[in-house]
Amino acid sequence: MIEIRNLSKSYGKTKVLTDIFLNLEDNKIYGLLGRNGAGKTTLLNIVANQLKCDAGELKYDGEDIYENSKAVENICLVREKSIPVDDDKVKRIFDMAKTLYKDWDEEYKEYLVKEFSLNVKKKYRKLSRGNQTIVGLIIGLASRARLTIFDEPSLGLDAAYRYKFYDLLLEDAEKNPRAVIISTHLIDEVTNLFEEVIILKEEKVYLKGEVSNIVEKGYFLNGNYENILSVIKGKNIIHKEEFGASAVVGLFDLLDGEEKALLKSRNVEISPMPLQKLFVYLTENNSKKEGH
């Protein structure tokens, strides 16, 4: 659906994105991850046709995305401060969104308003930050846009409403498949939503892949450091904490059955590394760590 080739973007002399290559498919939920300043919001604005890149190609269904009416009505970007008419009542904001997105579901919008107990008669600017976020989430969900993008969708929301949103998104994506991109810092909360993860680092796509394939390479190894090192020599160590002769080692690499059995025979505890930790260690400046 979306093809990105050699895409670059700078603000003045500051490079934000350099030579980005990406393909995004229909009916898949993507997680876009990166440290602050990694260029996530810039990339999402470019994909949503709200910002022009400096160089490269961006195609929607094989056609240039810029000034493409098909792309405009099929891509919905929800982000903080994305409602420019904040002096309007919420009801009017929904009415405007209804005219923008061709697959808008009014009945579903009404259902979501009740689910989130949202007062649509209030002016948008008088809503709490959490309720302003909810207005955006409802637009994103009810738009039924072929590509729906949520940039930090949990700002100002308490845990109950965050999990309500995740459940609604998953339920609706199963009934009405579409492509979804979620950019968030609360990775542990949404890992089960993601099918693929895209990690930005140092202006580029550092890693892209199925979550299951990425997570199966993340391990914590806890035990005698020499016993660990003799088995995993040459593998990709992304984290290490030493306590005398013992250590906790973070590994991003494949371990076969024989290697796991050998580690266990040497009293080394093996545990899976959560995606949030994996992301933190992979995006640290780890060029001096062993195994690289």
Side-chain angles (χ1 to χ4, degrees):
M1 174 178 49
I2 300 283
E3 294 175 73
I4 298 173
R5 298 283 175 272
N6 285 108
L7 185 144
S8 297
K9 179 67 181 175
S10 299
Y11 294 108
K13 292 182 179 177
T14 306
K15 287 183 179 179
V16 181
L17 301 169
T18 304
D19 294 331
I20 299 288
F21 285 82
L22 264 183
N23 286 333
L24 300 176
E25 300 169 35
D26 268 318
N27 309 335
K28 193 172 269 194
I29 300 181
Y30 294 91
L32 179 65
L33 311 178
R35 295 288 180 105
N36 288 337
K40 302 185 301 298
T41 295
T42 297
L43 179 60
L44 294 178
N45 282 328
I46 292 171
V47 169
N49 207 1
Q50 297 189 10
L51 185 67
K52 270 204 140 183
C53 59
D54 298 331
E57 285 187 339
L58 180 59
K59 294 188 180 296
Y60 174 84
D61 280 348
E63 296 176 7
D64 195 82
I65 204 165
Y66 300 113
E67 297 176 11
N68 182 335
S69 59
K70 220 170 36 161
V72 170
E73 63 187 15
N74 283 296
I75 300 175
C76 177
L77 169 62
V78 175
R79 65 178 191 274
E80 191 185 16
K81 297 188 176 72
S82 61
I83 311 288
V85 283
D86 66 353
D87 208 41
D88 279 333
K89 288 183 178 175
V90 173
K91 182 183 183 306
R92 176 163 160 71
I93 290 167
F94 286 145
D95 288 342
M96 285 188 281
K98 182 181 177 180
T99 64
L100 190 60
Y101 301 108
K102 70 178 184 66
D103 294 317
W104 180 268
D105 189 325
E106 183 68 12
E107 192 179 319
Y108 188 46
K109 183 266 288 182
E110 292 293 341
Y111 166 75
L112 293 171
V113 165
K114 288 185 182 129
E115 279 292 299
F116 285 107
S117 307
L118 186 68
N119 182 353
V120 297
K121 293 176 182 174
K122 262 191 170 183
K123 286 191 173 182
Y124 179 81
R125 65 181 168 81
K126 291 193 172 177
L127 296 176
S128 67
R129 191 186 189 194
N131 277 332
Q132 287 182 349
T133 295
I134 285 167
V135 171
L137 298 184
I138 291 174
I139 290 172
L141 290 167
S143 73
R144 291 268 160 80
R146 185 178 170 200
L147 173 59
T148 308
I149 303 168
F150 295 98
D151 189 6
E152 294 296 345
S154 50
L155 290 171
L157 294 185
D158 61 27
Y161 271 165
R162 289 201 306 273
Y163 282 102
K164 183 185 280 288
F165 165 65
Y166 305 147
D167 289 343
L168 286 164
L169 176 62
L170 202 53
E171 181 185 297
D172 192 58
E174 284 173 6
K175 288 182 187 170
N176 303 280
R178 59 172 124 173
V180 176
I181 304 174
I182 301 173
S183 176
T184 181
H185 287 92
L186 301 175
I187 300 166
D188 279 347
E189 288 190 359
V190 289
T191 299
N192 68 320
L193 287 179
F194 298 157
E195 292 167 73
E196 278 200 28
V197 167
I198 302 157
I199 297 178
L200 297 183
K201 179 182 175 183
E202 294 168 358
E203 305 163 24
K204 295 179 183 283
V205 175
Y206 175 73
L207 183 67
K208 179 181 184 284
E210 300 280 339
V211 171
S212 55
N213 293 340
I214 291 170
V215 170
E216 76 173 355
K217 291 167 72 178
Y219 296 99
F220 280 121
L221 308 176
N222 189 349
N224 179 280
Y225 184 54
E226 289 304 319
N227 287 344
I228 294 171
L229 198 60
S230 61
V231 178
I232 64 164
K233 207 161 191 178
K235 290 190 184 286
N236 187 12
I237 295 173
I238 57 173
H239 178 71
K240 186 177 72 176
E241 294 172 65
E242 290 187 74
F243 314 94
S246 295
V248 175
V249 172
L251 189 70
F252 184 60
D253 219 321
L254 289 171
L255 284 175
D256 61 31
E258 193 178 319
E259 288 165 333
K260 287 178 184 176
L262 192 53
L263 286 164
K264 285 176 183 174
S265 74
R266 296 179 178 185
N267 296 316
V268 174
E269 185 186 321
I270 306 170
S271 55
M273 187 184 296
L275 185 61
Q276 176 107 28
K277 288 275 189 189
L278 195 51
F279 161 72
V280 168
Y281 298 144
L282 285 173
T283 55
E284 278 176 346
N285 184 7
N286 52 15
S287 57
K288 292 182 181 176
K289 290 189 185 297
E290 293 177 60
H292 276 244

